[in-house]
Amino acid sequence: MIYQCTQKYEPANKAKIGVLITNLGTPDLPEKKSLKIYLKEFLSDTRVVEPPPARFIWKAILNLIILNTRPKKSAEAYKSVWGKFGKGSPLLDISNKQSQLVDQNLNNKKVSLFQVELGMRYGNPSISSALKKLEKKGCKKIIVLPLYPQYASATTGSTFDAVTDEIKTWRRVPELRFIDHYHEEEGYISALANSVKNFQEKHAKPDLLIMSYHGIPRRYFDNGDNYPCHCCKTSFLLSQKLGIDSSKYKMTFQSRFGREEWIKEYTDETLKLLPKKGIKNVQIICPGFSADCLETIEEIEEENREYFMDSGGEKYQYIPALNDANDHIKFICKLIKKKTKDWVE
């Protein structure tokens, strides 16, 4: 008896390639109940909050204190930005636009070789659901692109965990590629530089350009997370592209949580001190964010503005994230094609 396979196979260069684009995530609604669900998932991730040896201590703090106090405050913050870029969460609205544009740019009208799906590390649409869609579409090869330019265990590393947690349940494991950073890619640096130049053409140049990144605890860096080094490299390359020297820009870190020491300099403390040094006109950009979200809109554009102006500042301007800018989308597509070149030849 001769065995005959009943499955249909496509030539390797015509097989569908799955593209999973990911970002941090968002609550479903700007309400206390949704925020409690979202924050519990987020703050239970041991890459985000590395618990002490006695893990029950952190669990007690999280469940008895934080999840009973923070959701209400966070819900109010989300309400203030909800619908700013569409109908709902800014991050989700922008991420959906990005993934749709990437899909359009990667494929042509005749052939849809790349199957693009969006997955969020926390909340919906989940990474698990996005991967299941790619599996259902028959993608035997999948490339994962977390839209975090600089690698950090709490973001990129955690995304890898979520991807492998889902795929390890599959009987047929796909060929998998994971882009863990792009902090020094020419296309990314050029897109950042263009956003600064375009903004300054309309608003003039400031006394100082602040490049602010999301912070991490100092001990994460001491234990081997080279995220701050990636931030330094991005800042240096961006300054070179803009043609400015070290006196015209400053790198800082935002969003501290808890009492321990975080990577310095702190964005809020820096802004409070600048006016006393005669620097009263600043522009701030967040190169680590591929899309605007609660953190950039509410914390950087609004809260930190108050710190600066209340301390004697005169002009404070936030330069938006790259979002769905044409050169940003083109860079993302070019990066994906570069990393999958041998898959399509």
Side-chain angles (χ1 to χ4, degrees):
M1 179 178 179
I2 299 176
Y3 175 75
Q4 292 184 334
C5 181
T6 58
Q7 294 188 38
K8 294 181 179 180
Y9 288 93
E10 293 180 287
N13 62 348
K14 292 185 179 180
K16 293 177 181 178
I17 296 172
V19 177
L20 174 62
I21 294 175
T22 78
N23 213 313
L24 189 73
T26 179
D28 293 331
L29 294 169
E31 299 174 356
K32 181 180 176 180
K33 183 178 179 180
S34 290
L35 262 297
K36 189 170 185 177
I37 295 171
Y38 174 75
L39 288 174
K40 184 170 185 178
E41 182 182 11
F42 177 53
L43 296 175
S44 294
D45 188 339
T46 55
R47 284 205 188 250
V48 174
V49 180
E50 297 182 8
R55 290 186 60 181
F56 71 90
I57 296 177
W58 169 243
K59 286 186 177 181
I61 293 173
L62 176 62
N63 289 289
L64 298 178
I65 301 176
I66 296 176
L67 292 180
N68 286 316
T69 57
R70 190 160 180 175
K72 183 179 180 180
K73 182 179 179 181
S74 295
E76 291 301 317
Y78 270 101
K79 285 179 183 178
S80 71
V81 303
W82 209 258
K84 189 175 178 69
F85 290 90
K87 296 181 179 180
S89 159
L91 178 60
L92 183 57
D93 287 338
I94 295 169
S95 297
N96 276 324
K97 289 179 183 177
Q98 290 173 329
S99 60
Q100 290 165 11
L101 288 171
V102 168
D103 190 359
Q104 293 171 16
N105 280 268
L106 282 177
N107 298 303
N108 56 49
K109 294 181 180 179
K110 294 182 179 180
V111 181
S112 294
L113 177 61
F114 294 93
Q115 303 296 310
V116 181
E117 293 292 341
L118 173 68
M120 294 295 187
R121 179 60 185 89
Y122 314 103
N124 297 305
S126 68
I127 285 175
S128 176
S129 67
L131 284 169
K132 283 183 171 70
K133 288 181 181 179
L134 294 177
E135 181 188 32
K136 191 173 182 180
K137 291 178 179 179
C139 299
K140 301 298 189 296
K141 298 177 179 180
I142 297 176
I143 185 165
V144 182
L145 174 58
L147 288 180
Y148 310 119
Q150 299 79 22
Y151 174 89
S153 175
T155 52
T156 319
S158 179
T159 300
F160 181 80
D161 293 343
V163 169
T164 53
D165 282 347
E166 168 58 33
I167 289 181
K168 71 183 182 183
T169 67
W170 297 7
R171 181 169 296 278
R172 170 59 164 84
V173 174
E175 186 174 347
L176 186 67
R177 289 183 182 172
F178 190 90
I179 301 175
D180 69 348
H181 70 275
Y182 53 90
H183 69 284
E184 56 186 351
E185 289 280 342
E186 169 64 24
Y188 160 65
I189 299 299
S190 292
L192 285 175
N194 288 339
S195 72
V196 175
K197 291 175 182 176
N198 292 337
F199 188 88
Q200 292 181 349
E201 284 179 1
K202 296 179 181 179
H203 304 281
K205 293 183 179 181
D207 298 332
L208 186 70
L209 175 65
I210 299 174
M211 304 176 191
S212 182
Y213 300 82
H214 186 88
I216 61 172
R218 174 59 190 255
R219 64 186 168 92
Y220 289 16
F221 173 64
D222 293 339
N223 290 334
D225 195 324
N226 64 348
Y227 168 73
C229 302
H230 282 193
C231 296
C232 285
K233 187 63 177 290
T234 294
S235 297
F236 173 75
L237 291 174
L238 178 55
S239 70
Q240 293 290 296
K241 199 74 173 177
L242 292 171
I244 58 177
D245 61 36
S246 58
S247 67
K248 292 297 182 179
Y249 80 92
K250 180 180 285 292
M251 185 178 76
T252 62
F253 295 92
Q254 66 211 42
S255 305
R256 301 192 306 283
F257 178 76
R259 297 181 179 180
E260 68 177 301
E261 179 184 4
W262 283 47
I263 294 295
K264 296 179 178 177
E265 296 180 12
Y266 301 147
T267 301
D268 54 356
E269 297 300 327
T270 296
L271 288 167
K272 292 174 184 177
L273 294 173
L274 286 177
K276 298 176 183 178
K277 299 178 180 179
I279 299 174
K280 299 187 177 184
N281 178 359
V282 301
Q283 289 174 0
I284 185 166
I285 186 172
C286 297
F289 288 80
S290 61
D292 277 309
C293 58
L294 178 69
E295 187 171 327
T296 62
I297 301 169
E298 196 268 343
E299 181 182 348
I300 296 300
E301 189 171 11
E302 298 177 10
E303 182 181 327
N304 280 272
R305 178 193 302 275
E306 291 183 12
Y307 294 144
F308 182 69
M309 301 302 283
D310 289 347
S311 299
E314 296 176 356
K315 195 172 184 179
Y316 177 100
Q317 296 174 305
Y318 167 66
I319 301 173
L322 295 177
N323 295 328
D324 59 346
N326 187 51
D327 54 359
H328 186 214
I329 299 301
K330 284 187 175 180
F331 159 69
I332 292 172
C333 293
K334 185 176 181 180
L335 181 63
I336 292 170
K337 287 181 177 179
K338 182 173 75 171
K339 298 294 184 179
T340 59
K341 184 179 180 181
D342 61 316
W343 282 356
V344 297
E345 288 180 343

